[in-house]
């Protein structure tokens, strides 16, 4: 009889499924990552990728990244396929101004379970150290937009018209050499001192023939990383800027001069 020793019995299998809960925070395997990028890299160029790991499963591993420090020059986005943080350039970099940047990247769980907030912060941080490498930059004119120079039409040959200034942004006090682009002064009315940038008259001016002259002055590194042969001398990269030279009547009447423009 049922209920007595030796009575009939049955059994079954019960499967217990343990569902995951978000009780693990993201963790970066390293507290610092190091990358290098050229100062000439374009905006949006990826600098490097880092990733935080999460011991949970499914959507509980979803995370987003943000920059806590260093976000003025860099930005971070999340690769949805790999869950990696992609650090890229937001603003131009300058080796001469700052050679190393420390960017603090934070990983944050997207789906935080309020039942486990007492376990601690569901976020983690790492430092992305970005080293900026130098590139050979061309000389910079001062002022960059060029200058208007005035000279009396009765000035003698050899008279000083003005002085152009340029500097090498890479190395302080590095020599810069000047020359006039021949196509902008085919009659060789002006001369320029290659070392000082002083522009002088090579011929007598006549305002009735030409009221103003627009010449291009080239500033070139005396020694550059990328060298080319020019007039028997080794030069680096170059930059050009227009200098407008207006001939004035000897009676000093006021005149309006056309606006110069920069050429590349």
């Amino acid at each position: 009889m049922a209920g007595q020793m030796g009575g009939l019995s049955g059994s079954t299998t019960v499967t217990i499924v343990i569902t995951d809960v978000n009780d693990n925070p993201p963790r970066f395997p390293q507290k610092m990552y190091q990358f290098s990028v050229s100062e000439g890299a374009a905006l949006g160029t990826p600098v490097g990728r880092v990733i935080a790991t999460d011991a949970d499963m499914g959507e509980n591993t979803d995370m987003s990244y943000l920059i806590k420090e260093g976000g003025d020059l860099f930005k971070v986005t999340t690769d949805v396929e790999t869950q990696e943080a992609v650090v890229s350039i937001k603003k131009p970099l300058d080796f001469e101004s700052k050679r190393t940047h420390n960017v603090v990247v934070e990983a944050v769980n997207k789906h935080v379970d309020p039942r486990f907030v007492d376990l601690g912060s569901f976020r983690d941080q790492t430092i992305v150290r970005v080293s900026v490498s130098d590139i050979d930059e061309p000389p910079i004119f001062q002022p960059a937009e060029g200058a208007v120079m005035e000279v009396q039409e009765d000035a003698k040959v050899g008279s000083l018209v003005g002085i152009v200034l340029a500097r090498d942004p890479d190395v302080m006090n590095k020599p810069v050499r000047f020359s006039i682009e021949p196509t902008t002064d085919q009659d060789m009315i002006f001369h320029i001192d290659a070392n000082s940038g002083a522009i002088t008259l090579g011929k007598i001016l006549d305002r009735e023939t030409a009221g103003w002259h627009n010449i291009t002055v080239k500033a070139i590194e005396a020694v550059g990383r990328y060298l080319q042969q020019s007039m028997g001398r080794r030069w680096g990269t170059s930059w050009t800027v227009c200098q407008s030279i207006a001939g004035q009547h000897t009676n000093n009447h006021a005149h309006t001069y056309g606006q110069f423009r920069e050429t590349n």
Side-chain angles (χ1 to χ4, degrees), residues 28 50-52 63-67 76 78 83-85 105-107:
F28 285 103
V50 298
I51 188 171
M63 64 188 76
S64 58
Y65 298 93
L66 61 147
I67 290 181
V76 64
T78 304
Q83 289 293 302
E84 292 175 302
V105 177
E106 184 173 83

Side-chain angles (χ1 to χ4, degrees), residues 114-164:
R115 293 175 298 173
F116 303 103
V117 292
D118 58 340
L119 296 179
S121 176
F122 280 74
R123 58 185 65 215
D124 193 27
Q125 293 182 351
T126 189
I127 296 175
V128 175
R129 177 164 292 175
V130 182
S131 298
V132 181
S133 58
D134 190 24
I135 61 172
D136 195 11
E137 298 173 273
I140 298 174
F141 279 94
Q142 300 171 310
E145 65 275 10
V148 175
M149 300 177 180
E150 295 183 353
V151 61
Q152 297 288 340
E153 67 174 332
D154 63 347
K156 297 179 180 180
V157 172
S159 297
L160 178 66
V161 177
I163 299 175
V164 293

Side-chain angles (χ1 to χ4, degrees), residues 25 33 53 70 84 91 100 105 122 134 143 148 159-160 173 183 208-209 212 215 243:
Y33 297 83
T53 59
E84 292 175 302
K91 291 185 179 180
T100 304
V105 177
F122 280 74
D134 190 24
V148 175
S159 297
L160 178 66
N173 299 323
T183 58
E208 285 70 32
T209 302
W212 59 276
I215 66 172
Q243 306 289 338

Side-chain angles (χ1 to χ4, degrees), residues 18-27 52-64 83 107-116 122-123:
I18 302 175
T19 59
D20 184 54
V21 294
N22 194 358
D23 57 349
N24 290 285
R27 287 288 180 259
T53 59
D54 192 315
D56 292 314
M57 300 176 62
E59 69 172 15
N60 289 330
T61 64
D62 291 345
M63 64 188 76
S64 58
Q83 289 293 302
V108 183
N109 264 147
K110 286 186 177 181
H111 311 288
V112 177
D113 192 325
R115 293 175 298 173
F116 303 103
F122 280 74
R123 58 185 65 215

Side-chain angles (χ1 to χ4, degrees), residues 5-18:
M5 295 296 294
L8 298 177
S9 64
S11 65
T12 188
T13 300
V14 178
T15 301
I16 301 175
V17 178
I18 302 175

Side-chain angles (χ1 to χ4, degrees), residues 73-94:
L73 297 178
F74 301 92
K75 64 180 180 180
V76 64
T77 54
T78 304
D79 187 323
V80 295
E81 298 295 331
T82 64
Q83 289 293 302
E84 292 175 302
V86 183
V87 179
S88 55
I89 300 173
K90 185 169 73 173
K91 291 185 179 180
L93 303 176
D94 184 16

